[in-house]
Amino acid sequence: MTKPVRVRYAPSPTGLLHIGGARTALFNYLLARKNNGSFIVRFEDTDQTRHMESGIDSQLNGLRWLGINWDESVDIGGPYGPYRQMERLDLYRPLVDQLVQEDKSYPCYCTESDLEKERAEQEERGEMPMYSGKCRNLTLEQRTQFEAEGRKPSIRFKVPRDRVIQFVDKVRGEVEFETNGIGDFIIMRPDGIPTYNFVVVVDDYMMKMSTVIRAEEHLTNTPRQIMIYEALGQELPEFAHLSLILNPNRKKMSKRDASLIQFIDQYNELGYMPEAVVNFIVLIGWSPVGEEEFFTMDELIEQFDLDRVLKSPAVFDMDKLNWMSNHYIKKAPLLRVVELALPHLQKEGLLPAELDEATRDWAVKLIGLYQEQLRFGADIVSLSEMFFSEGFTMEEEGEAVMQEEQVPAVLRSFLAQVEASETFEAADIQPLIKKVQAETGTKGKGLFMPIRVGLTGQVHGRDLNMTIHLLGKEKVIARLQKALA
Ligand code: GLU
């Protein structure tokens, strides 16, 4: 019988949910749901120097926004809690003691300056800096002496010499590390707080994890963790390390890469659809079987497979994300798009926070006019700018259009029609233009272009009748007068 699938996303709550963390969470989640397994969110907060109390909430909120839900975590509890490592210290300490008793770990009294000196000497000799194991063989007297001096030891794991640690990574295949390249590492700091490599092992076996899926940066931690599993007599989970994410220059993506939107909160704030973001994230390093690129969460649950997670690094391509996001927005019901876009018009002060019905209807139509072009909600601001200002910027191509000889006659006639019109709905505009055609004998481009350019400054744009209707009679009259002046 195979083990039930239990997987986890185990962030250190140091900040907002990052796109890399979101990918790790998503892959774990999909594997759990596909196999009717459990998805656990556990917080690794034993490194208190990097800790941020709001980090827990912002991680959970980010996951929630993406539509990733969990079966066990800090908020809902579960059978293997607590799900936050600082609340599990009582579980770890006896195990550290056990390893010391069994001579698999030992107290190390080296001070920071001892260690620095050692590192400097090693570097001078051209060796790889690595703890020498100096405190491995302290006599009882030496230990007592250090204790009497008031030194607080850290506890180091005794790395077995001359061994090769091998394992099969579900993504990377066979991996091996020589233990001689690994110094005795600290599993508990002098303040009694155990370190990541130790607690992650204890939690993963106590929480009965079947597979550990995490970022590639943890690959080199894996042999250390495997040695701890062995020392504690526990069975190993499977491991799967997800490749690096590169920026468009094919360098390792850095959180400081300003051209990339990297935090899930930002996508939410800019008015992206979470479905689109999930769809984009899953393709960073996972390749579906067929040609299809668009997937709902349910489809992903059905199709996701660790076997198709790519070994090579994946590039984070914002253009692709925006293309994908635009595809989702085009297909979404208009009112959903309004929810994403309208708050941006309000935030920019273009529309009031409280909308009367007429203004709201107008805004819905405006957003509908641009739905095809939106990549995300906030895009509406730049796309619809000219509806909110007195004037507009004239495109170069537009200048040329305005030089054509029929233009004044067309605009004068259209102005007269607009002034005389009693209603100004989108459906009323076409008949007005028809009248201009009859009056001036101009049709086609020669007719429409000057009207469009005279009102918007642009040679291309959205539906002309709707654009004119939404500009409103007053603005249309003012702009035509200005164009004629
Ligand atoms: N806490 C680690 C991190 O945030 C994850 C470690 C793991 O998944 O084993 O990178």
Side-chain angles (χ1 to χ4, degrees), residues 8 10-12 44 196 200 212 214 217-218:
R8 84 300 192 280
S12 304
E44 308 210 315
Y196 161 70
V200 74
V212 166
R214 61 187 171 196
E217 59 181 8
H218 290 293

Side-chain angles (χ1 to χ4, degrees), residues 4-15:
V5 170
R6 287 182 55 82
V7 290
R8 84 300 192 280
Y9 169 54
S12 304
T14 52

